[in-house]
Amino acid sequence: MIAFIDLAAQQTRLKPRIDAAIQRVLAHGGYVMGPEVRDFEARLAEFGRAKHALSCGNGTDALALPLMAWEIGVGDAVFCPSFTFAATPEVIPWTGATPVFVDILEGTYNLDPHHLEAAIEAVKAKGELRPAAVIAVDLFGQPADYPRLAEVCRRHGLKLIADSAQGFGCTLNGEHPVHWADAATTSFFPAKPLGAYGDGGAVLTDDADLAERMDSLRVHGKMTKSDINGHHWDHDPKYFNARIGMNSRLDTMQAAILIEKLAVFADEIELRQTVARRYSAGLKGHVCATPTVIAGGRSTWAQYVIEHHDRDGLAAHLKAVGVPTAVYYPVPMHRQAPYACFPIAPGGLPVSDAKADRVLALPMHAYLAEDVQDHIIDAVRGYNG
Ligand SMILES: Cc1ncc(COP(=O)(O)O)c(C=O)c1O
């Protein structure tokens, strides 16, 4: 059976280094916020070309942290796509704010800047909610149209978060999403392009104040240097809390593993380009759509997604010949019960609705062998549904 994502192949490459890293953590015993956490954060910031990188418990908390730091809450509107993983809209009602769903672009599956603008204007005209922030998603690994999205956000005074859980490492004209976004987040869920051996996440930002507040929020709202400085305390301020936060930390063990994985990540992104290129060369013209990457964009290919008018028939055919597939996402968030009550941008979300019926993700990872890939391509081409 072909692996949809082959974590074992990567482990074979890195095993001695990962084993040694785990042993180092066992030897020093600093399992929470140990030295590898700070080391990894520094390396992550450098890789993602941000001034600050803060690790946390998972990619969902990574999205919540900037919203909390900006004190976004009741009465605020946060705009996001519906064609995404649940975590993107989920964090918005956590804060008391209201998600407003916006449609995606036909080719890239990423947030449509025109529709975003229409959504912001509609919310303003209605006057019930205050537009506060946008969460753009780097779906399937490719960067959203950040120059245009950032321009809309700037004009309307909104914060911009890049949900790069799938796209961490992607670039647009050589720049990472945090070049345009106030904060970029990622997930280290094992199946992600940069995955740990458990849960983990991070937020990257160039904003020192935001980084300081998020550092406080991830540890129960602990005092920051700015909270402490200039004040007199009768007690050690260590157990004083400046704000209501959460407990969201990356385990030292995961940080030690991620240091080793980050060392080969650029190479793995390159290997994924080769796999994607071969897929596209073999499948173009044989399915309704092969992926379109934004001009100047470089995807991390978290997923390689094709479109087919008989998606379910093709998936069944592939399964029968030993090719696993996945559907991201069969039901957009605005059509799921817990989210159906939230506002939708004017005109509805026709692209999100249509894509949900057609998309199919093929096996994708950096170590997908050419003969296996050829088998997958032949199997797709051989379907006459
Ligand atoms: C687009 C997107 N956002 C957020 C997340 C949440 O990440 P995590 O599972 O680490 O909480 C994921 C992945 O699971 C994702 O795909």
Side-chain angles (χ1 to χ4, degrees):
M1 180 77 179
I2 296 167
F4 186 68
I5 293 174
D6 193 347
L7 294 175
Q10 184 200 49
Q11 200 185 81
T12 307
R13 174 177 180 182
L14 293 175
K15 195 163 190 319
R17 281 193 269 167
I18 286 180
D19 283 349
I22 291 171
Q23 289 307 318
R24 278 196 297 276
V25 177
L26 291 175
H28 68 58
Y31 300 121
V32 174
M33 286 296 180
E36 285 82 358
V37 174
R38 297 290 180 200
D39 182 4
F40 173 62
E41 288 178 341
R43 290 169 196 251
L44 194 71
E46 194 187 345
F47 186 96
R49 272 189 256 138
K51 292 197 179 123
H52 309 273
L54 269 105
S55 59
C56 61
N58 51 69
T60 310
D61 289 353
L63 288 166
L65 283 166
L67 295 178
M68 291 168 73
W70 291 323
E71 297 181 351
I72 283 172
V74 176
D76 288 330
V78 179
F79 302 84
C80 69
S82 170
F83 195 67
T84 181
F85 182 65
T88 312
E90 180 181 40
V91 295
I92 301 166
W94 283 6
T95 67
T98 302
V100 178
F101 291 113
V102 176
D103 214 357
I104 50 167
L105 294 165
E106 177 72 37
T108 62
Y109 309 105
N110 279 333
L111 208 56
D112 178 344
H114 275 305
H115 203 227
L116 171 65
E117 180 117 43
I120 295 168
E121 270 158 12
V123 166
K124 280 186 171 170
K126 204 160 184 212
E128 288 170 5
L129 297 169
R130 186 186 72 93
V134 173
I135 306 179
V137 177
D138 299 328
L139 203 72
F140 306 146
Q142 70 158 307
D145 189 348
Y146 287 109
R148 288 169 70 205
L149 293 171
E151 194 273 321
V152 173
C153 289
R154 210 171 23 247
R155 225 160 358 89
H156 291 276
L158 309 191
K159 299 287 189 191
L160 176 59
I161 297 176
D163 177 351
S164 217
Q166 299 178 18
F168 181 71
C170 73
T171 54
L172 182 56
N173 303 324
E175 302 285 358
H176 291 255
V178 75
H179 176 77
W180 295 276
D182 297 287
T185 66
T186 190
S187 161
F188 303 125
F189 182 78
K192 294 287 188 263
L194 180 61
Y197 289 156
D199 277 312
V203 193
L204 284 79
T205 182
D206 286 338
D207 179 340
D209 289 340
L210 174 64
E212 193 183 30
R213 267 174 287 143
M214 292 193 299
D215 184 33
S216 161
L217 287 164
R218 71 176 167 171
V219 187
H220 307 291
K222 70 174 182 182
M223 291 283 194
T224 65
K225 279 206 185 89
S226 309
D227 296 322
I228 292 169
N229 288 347
H231 293 87
H232 170 75
W233 306 100
D234 294 333
H235 305 278
D236 178 352
K238 184 175 173 197
Y239 289 107
F240 283 4
N241 304 84
R243 49 192 66 75
I244 292 175
M246 58 163 86
N247 174 17
S248 188
R249 297 174 293 218
L250 182 70
D251 289 346
T252 309
M253 202 75 93
Q254 299 303 340
I257 291 162
L258 282 163
I259 288 170
E260 302 307 325
K261 291 204 179 196
L262 186 60
V264 299
F265 188 43
D267 180 51
E268 290 186 339
I269 293 175
E270 194 55 50
L271 291 170
R272 285 168 180 271
Q273 308 304 318
T274 309
V275 174
R277 263 195 305 271
R278 292 188 85 253
Y279 265 143
S280 291
L283 294 175
K284 218 173 198 107
H286 296 272
V287 292
C288 293
T290 52
T292 307
V293 176
I294 186 173
R298 185 173 155 89
S299 177
T300 56
W301 296 107
Q303 307 295 343
Y304 184 93
V305 173
I306 57 171
E307 293 183 30
H308 200 281
H309 59 86
D310 179 22
R311 186 265 313 282
D312 297 336
L314 174 61
H317 163 78
L318 292 174
K319 189 173 177 201
V321 294
V323 177
T325 57
V327 174
Y328 305 113
Y329 293 92
V331 184
M333 297 311 300
H334 70 285
R335 297 210 323 254
Q336 301 209 23
Y339 295 90
C341 58
F342 295 122
I344 293 172
L349 309 176
V351 184
S352 303
D353 284 328
K355 295 295 180 193
D357 293 334
R358 289 206 298 260
V359 287
L360 189 67
L362 300 180
M364 169 50 99
H365 57 89
Y367 306 97
L368 194 66
E370 284 193 3
D371 60 331
V372 176
Q373 206 184 354
D374 290 341
H375 171 69
I376 297 167
I377 292 168
D378 288 346
V380 173
R381 289 172 63 147
Y383 181 60
N384 300 314

Short mmCIF file of all heavy atoms in Angstrom, two decimals, residues 81 83 104-111 137 139-140 142 289-292 305-307 355 359:
data_model
loop_
_atom_site.label_atom_id
_atom_site.label_comp_id
_atom_site.label_asym_id
_atom_site.label_seq_id
_atom_site.Cartn_x
_atom_site.Cartn_y
_atom_site.Cartn_z
N PRO A 81 -11.50 32.53 5.36
CA PRO A 81 -12.15 31.66 4.39
C PRO A 81 -12.96 30.59 5.09
O PRO A 81 -12.73 30.27 6.26
CB PRO A 81 -10.97 31.03 3.63
CG PRO A 81 -9.81 31.14 4.55
CD PRO A 81 -10.05 32.32 5.44
N PHE A 83 -13.38 27.66 3.22
CA PHE A 83 -12.75 26.48 2.64
C PHE A 83 -11.38 26.31 3.30
O PHE A 83 -10.34 26.68 2.75
CB PHE A 83 -12.62 26.66 1.12
CG PHE A 83 -12.32 25.39 0.38
CD1 PHE A 83 -13.25 24.37 0.32
CD2 PHE A 83 -11.11 25.21 -0.26
CE1 PHE A 83 -12.97 23.18 -0.37
CE2 PHE A 83 -10.82 24.04 -0.95
CZ PHE A 83 -11.76 23.03 -1.00
N ILE A 104 -13.10 32.12 -1.79
CA ILE A 104 -11.72 31.92 -2.24
C ILE A 104 -11.61 32.14 -3.73
O ILE A 104 -12.63 32.18 -4.44
CB ILE A 104 -11.25 30.48 -1.90
CG1 ILE A 104 -12.29 29.45 -2.39
CG2 ILE A 104 -11.02 30.34 -0.40
CD1 ILE A 104 -11.81 28.02 -2.39
N LEU A 105 -10.38 32.24 -4.21
CA LEU A 105 -10.14 32.38 -5.64
C LEU A 105 -10.24 31.02 -6.32
O LEU A 105 -9.85 30.00 -5.74
CB LEU A 105 -8.75 32.99 -5.88
CG LEU A 105 -8.58 34.43 -5.39
CD1 LEU A 105 -7.11 34.80 -5.31
CD2 LEU A 105 -9.34 35.39 -6.30
N GLU A 106 -10.71 31.04 -7.53
CA GLU A 106 -10.95 29.82 -8.31
C GLU A 106 -9.67 28.99 -8.48
O GLU A 106 -9.68 27.77 -8.30
CB GLU A 106 -11.48 30.28 -9.69
CG GLU A 106 -11.74 29.22 -10.69
CD GLU A 106 -12.98 28.39 -10.37
OE1 GLU A 106 -13.96 28.96 -9.88
OE2 GLU A 106 -12.93 27.17 -10.64
N GLY A 107 -8.56 29.63 -8.78
CA GLY A 107 -7.34 28.88 -9.14
C GLY A 107 -6.51 28.41 -7.95
O GLY A 107 -5.99 27.30 -7.94
N THR A 108 -6.39 29.28 -6.92
CA THR A 108 -5.42 28.99 -5.85
C THR A 108 -6.06 28.50 -4.56
O THR A 108 -5.35 28.10 -3.65
CB THR A 108 -4.63 30.27 -5.50
OG1 THR A 108 -5.57 31.26 -5.02
CG2 THR A 108 -3.89 30.82 -6.71
N TYR A 109 -7.36 28.57 -4.45
CA TYR A 109 -8.12 28.19 -3.25
C TYR A 109 -7.86 29.14 -2.07
O TYR A 109 -8.20 28.82 -0.94
CB TYR A 109 -7.81 26.76 -2.78
CG TYR A 109 -7.90 25.70 -3.85
CD1 TYR A 109 -6.75 25.15 -4.41
CD2 TYR A 109 -9.13 25.25 -4.30
CE1 TYR A 109 -6.83 24.17 -5.39
CE2 TYR A 109 -9.22 24.27 -5.28
CZ TYR A 109 -8.06 23.74 -5.82
OH TYR A 109 -8.14 22.77 -6.79
N ASN A 110 -7.22 30.26 -2.33
CA ASN A 110 -6.92 31.18 -1.24
C ASN A 110 -7.83 32.40 -1.26
O ASN A 110 -8.49 32.68 -2.27
CB ASN A 110 -5.44 31.59 -1.29
CG ASN A 110 -4.56 30.51 -0.65
OD1 ASN A 110 -5.02 29.76 0.22
ND2 ASN A 110 -3.31 30.44 -1.07
N LEU A 111 -7.87 33.10 -0.14
CA LEU A 111 -8.81 34.20 0.09
C LEU A 111 -8.86 35.19 -1.08
O LEU A 111 -7.81 35.62 -1.57
CB LEU A 111 -8.38 34.93 1.37
CG LEU A 111 -9.45 35.63 2.20
CD1 LEU A 111 -10.57 34.69 2.60
CD2 LEU A 111 -8.81 36.22 3.45
N VAL A 137 -5.39 32.09 4.78
CA VAL A 137 -4.84 30.73 4.91
C VAL A 137 -3.96 30.42 3.69
O VAL A 137 -4.32 30.75 2.57
CB VAL A 137 -5.98 29.70 5.02
CG1 VAL A 137 -5.44 28.28 5.09
CG2 VAL A 137 -6.85 30.00 6.24
N LEU A 139 -3.50 27.81 1.85
CA LEU A 139 -4.09 26.48 1.71
C LEU A 139 -3.25 25.56 0.82
O LEU A 139 -2.75 25.99 -0.22
CB LEU A 139 -5.52 26.58 1.16
CG LEU A 139 -6.36 25.36 1.51
CD1 LEU A 139 -6.73 25.34 3.00
CD2 LEU A 139 -7.63 25.29 0.69
N PHE A 140 -3.11 24.35 1.25
CA PHE A 140 -2.36 23.29 0.56
C PHE A 140 -0.88 23.63 0.42
O PHE A 140 -0.14 22.93 -0.26
CB PHE A 140 -2.97 22.97 -0.82
CG PHE A 140 -4.44 22.63 -0.76
CD1 PHE A 140 -5.30 22.99 -1.79
CD2 PHE A 140 -4.98 21.95 0.33
CE1 PHE A 140 -6.67 22.67 -1.74
CE2 PHE A 140 -6.33 21.63 0.39
CZ PHE A 140 -7.18 22.00 -0.65
N GLN A 142 0.44 26.89 -0.47
CA GLN A 142 0.88 28.05 -1.25
C GLN A 142 0.43 29.37 -0.62
O GLN A 142 -0.62 29.45 0.02
CB GLN A 142 0.41 27.97 -2.68
CG GLN A 142 -1.06 28.15 -2.91
CD GLN A 142 -1.32 28.60 -4.34
OE1 GLN A 142 -0.73 29.56 -4.80
NE2 GLN A 142 -2.19 27.88 -5.03
N ALA A 289 -8.59 19.89 -13.19
CA ALA A 289 -7.61 20.92 -12.84
C ALA A 289 -6.45 20.29 -12.08
O ALA A 289 -6.64 19.42 -11.23
CB ALA A 289 -8.25 22.01 -11.98
N THR A 290 -5.25 20.73 -12.45
CA THR A 290 -4.06 20.48 -11.63
C THR A 290 -3.78 21.80 -10.90
O THR A 290 -4.33 22.84 -11.29
CB THR A 290 -2.86 20.07 -12.51
OG1 THR A 290 -2.70 21.05 -13.55
CG2 THR A 290 -3.05 18.69 -13.11
N PRO A 291 -2.96 21.80 -9.86
CA PRO A 291 -2.82 23.03 -9.05
C PRO A 291 -2.28 24.23 -9.82
O PRO A 291 -1.41 24.09 -10.67
CB PRO A 291 -1.84 22.62 -7.96
CG PRO A 291 -1.94 21.13 -7.89
CD PRO A 291 -2.22 20.67 -9.28
N THR A 292 -2.84 25.40 -9.50
CA THR A 292 -2.35 26.68 -10.01
C THR A 292 -1.69 27.39 -8.84
O THR A 292 -2.34 27.63 -7.82
CB THR A 292 -3.53 27.57 -10.47
OG1 THR A 292 -4.32 26.83 -11.38
CG2 THR A 292 -3.04 28.86 -11.11
N VAL A 305 -3.37 18.79 -4.86
CA VAL A 305 -4.82 18.62 -5.01
C VAL A 305 -5.23 18.79 -6.47
O VAL A 305 -4.90 19.79 -7.10
CB VAL A 305 -5.57 19.65 -4.12
CG1 VAL A 305 -7.06 19.63 -4.39
CG2 VAL A 305 -5.29 19.35 -2.65
N ILE A 306 -5.93 17.78 -6.98
CA ILE A 306 -6.48 17.88 -8.34
C ILE A 306 -8.00 18.04 -8.23
O ILE A 306 -8.57 17.85 -7.16
CB ILE A 306 -6.14 16.62 -9.18
CG1 ILE A 306 -6.66 15.35 -8.49
CG2 ILE A 306 -4.64 16.53 -9.44
CD1 ILE A 306 -6.56 14.09 -9.36
N GLU A 307 -8.60 18.41 -9.35
CA GLU A 307 -10.07 18.46 -9.39
C GLU A 307 -10.57 17.49 -10.44
O GLU A 307 -9.95 17.33 -11.49
CB GLU A 307 -10.54 19.89 -9.73
CG GLU A 307 -10.23 20.88 -8.62
CD GLU A 307 -10.75 22.27 -8.93
OE1 GLU A 307 -11.79 22.38 -9.63
OE2 GLU A 307 -10.13 23.23 -8.46
N LYS A 355 -15.85 23.88 -5.07
CA LYS A 355 -14.57 23.16 -4.91
C LYS A 355 -14.75 21.94 -4.01
O LYS A 355 -14.11 20.91 -4.22
CB LYS A 355 -13.51 24.07 -4.31
CG LYS A 355 -13.10 25.24 -5.18
CD LYS A 355 -12.43 24.78 -6.46
CE LYS A 355 -12.02 25.97 -7.32
NZ LYS A 355 -11.65 25.58 -8.68
N VAL A 359 -12.52 18.49 -5.27
CA VAL A 359 -11.08 18.38 -4.93
C VAL A 359 -10.71 16.98 -4.45
O VAL A 359 -11.48 16.31 -3.77
CB VAL A 359 -10.68 19.41 -3.85
CG1 VAL A 359 -10.63 20.80 -4.43
CG2 VAL A 359 -11.64 19.35 -2.66
#
